[in-house]
Amino acid sequence: MKPHVATCVAIDGRAILIEGPPASGKSALALALMDRGARLIGDDGVLLELFDERLLARPHPRTRGLLEVRNLGLAPFEACDAAPVALVIKLDPAAPRFIDSPTPTERLGVSVPLVAIWPEPHPPALKVEQALRLYGLPPENRAASGRGRYRSSILQRKSAKQRLMESDSSSENRQRLMLVTGMLGAGKTTALRVLEDLGWEIVDNFPVRLLDRLMDTPQAAPRELRGPLAIGFDSRTRGFDPESIIRKVKDLGERPDLEVTTLFLDCASHELERRYNETRRRHPLAGDTPVSTGIRAERELLAPLRRWADILIDTSEFTANDLQRAMRDRFANEDAQQLTLTVSSFGFARGMPPVADLVFDMRFLNNPHWDPELRPLTGEDLSVGEYVRKDPAFAEAFERIRDLLLLLLPRYREQGKAYVHVAFGCTGGRHRSVFTARQMAAALREHGFSPTLLHRNLGARAADLLEGSPRREE
């Protein structure tokens, strides 16, 4: 066991050594990470040892549980017993702006990835989390990692989703309850809207003091009446008291009929301030003071809930669309992520479909209407299909449209679009568009989609006035 000059915290059972010259911000960075859920191992000195071919970091007995906080002095914190070292962060003003890979470094003969970052006025905690996700050694030895659990939108993404998706399989009679809270402006409304699209029942701005009454539903209630429920609340909610809320959640979590999860939406203060200035809204806790004062007061008020939450999503660098995608990624089952696809045919002469997302005009193909034998038939008849297929332009045009749809449809699904309507049109809506729509629906089924096929004008009568004059052969 060897002393090592570094500050060290544990994130999800993996230790990060924070190295740098005196006064470079090591303790401040550790404090910022601890505010996001990390656990302290040691400040300005830890013990390193080899265990099962891995490098372990332990607190030094003389400084165990103490962190030097500027302006406050030595502050006591609960220390993590040990954790395998996964990453070294070096605070270096000469750090490169971009890297392709971390720099390997050795501690006690064990190779550990090192990432150099600039010391900044505000400790770059989110940057360190990202470095751990991208470059940190995998958490192979969790037995020595202590009992702490790091709640991060980056590191807990898969486990949170799996836990929620598997809750029904563990007990079909347990109702899923999610409490959604966080900083004002961090995206609670957007998160609730996505959950509603995923089939959750939503109650926003609910008085949390009445939560136990709301959940007092008889266990014998039908399964369909006990679907997943998401309850949104924040610091504006009447009777808001984080400590009492946590006690209520603990009590609910012990009930055998409930599966309780708490989601906290966070955001960097400077980004929240930008959002308030952009929307010109007043912060409820700011009063006549600057918005930054209200944000600081709210952050202090919500700190217990943030530490308690099972899942934390940091939206500092998210657009609204990014947050929607992150919520679907975590909480949508495969059925909820399926795209509802409609392929239809129509006649331009009878008006455009009002809700089509993609419209393809097939009037460049030869028109079967002007063949007396084909006129009374439709695109569902073999002879009409063969006529359209023999057009020299059909094969290439069909392949290009199919390939375009195979490119676009998965992207629509990733962006959260639930419904897509692809429409094929011809003049009367009875021949060319019907055949093409049928063929396209079949092609998309071969690639894993399940389109609904509709023909708007298939039953309409053939009419020369709609089709116009026949094309004259030269």
Side-chain angles (χ1 to χ4, degrees), residues 5-203:
V5 180
T7 296
C8 186
V9 296
I11 293 179
D12 195 34
R14 294 188 287 175
I16 299 177
L17 293 176
I18 305 173
E19 301 178 350
S24 58
K26 299 188 296 296
S27 300
L29 177 55
L31 186 64
L33 288 166
M34 290 163 61
D35 183 54
R36 298 169 66 85
R39 302 188 67 206
L40 175 68
I41 293 181
D43 184 26
D44 272 338
V46 293
L47 297 178
L48 299 181
E49 67 169 320
L50 291 177
F51 177 80
D52 194 21
E53 299 183 354
R54 296 208 71 185
L55 183 66
L56 286 187
R58 298 184 181 276
H60 196 287
R62 293 182 180 178
T63 58
R64 178 185 177 90
L66 296 176
L67 179 71
E68 184 179 356
V69 181
R70 187 169 299 175
N71 305 126
L72 296 180
L74 291 176
F77 291 93
E78 182 183 358
C80 178
D81 292 332
V85 177
L87 181 69
V88 176
I89 293 292
K90 182 180 180 182
L91 298 177
D92 184 1
R97 184 175 181 86
F98 300 108
I99 62 172
D100 295 323
S101 60
T103 303
T105 184
E106 286 194 359
R107 302 291 185 274
L108 298 185
V110 177
S111 180
V112 183
L114 181 147
V115 175
I117 64 176
W118 299 330
E120 299 177 7
H122 302 287
L126 185 61
K127 192 182 297 184
V128 174
E129 294 173 357
Q130 186 78 348
L132 179 67
R133 184 181 74 86
L134 293 174
Y135 306 124
L137 296 177
E140 297 173 356
N141 182 8
R142 291 186 178 269
S145 63
R147 56 187 175 86
R149 181 164 60 96
Y150 185 68
R151 302 173 177 93
S152 161
S153 63
I154 296 174
L155 298 176
Q156 206 180 348
R157 172 177 175 175
K158 183 177 179 181
S159 61
K161 179 182 176 182
Q162 285 179 333
R163 180 159 56 84
L164 287 171
M165 288 177 62
E166 293 170 359
S167 61
D168 284 341
S169 61
S170 62
S171 175
E172 292 188 356
N173 294 322
R174 300 181 73 185
Q175 178 173 346
R176 293 163 62 185
L177 170 65
M178 183 183 298
L179 304 178
V180 183
T181 187
M183 297 291 291
L184 296 170
K188 176 174 69 72
T189 302
T190 299
L192 289 172
R193 189 180 302 123
V194 175
L195 289 173
E196 186 173 23
D197 291 341
L198 296 177
W200 292 66
E201 184 179 355
I202 303 301
V203 182

Side-chain angles (χ1 to χ4, degrees), residues 217-230:
T217 303
Q219 284 187 302
R223 174 69 177 167
E224 60 271 17
L225 298 182
R226 291 182 285 105
L229 173 64

Side-chain angles (χ1 to χ4, degrees), residues 344-356:
S344 73
S345 67
F346 72 96
F348 281 99
R350 295 178 168 91
M352 290 273 290
V355 291

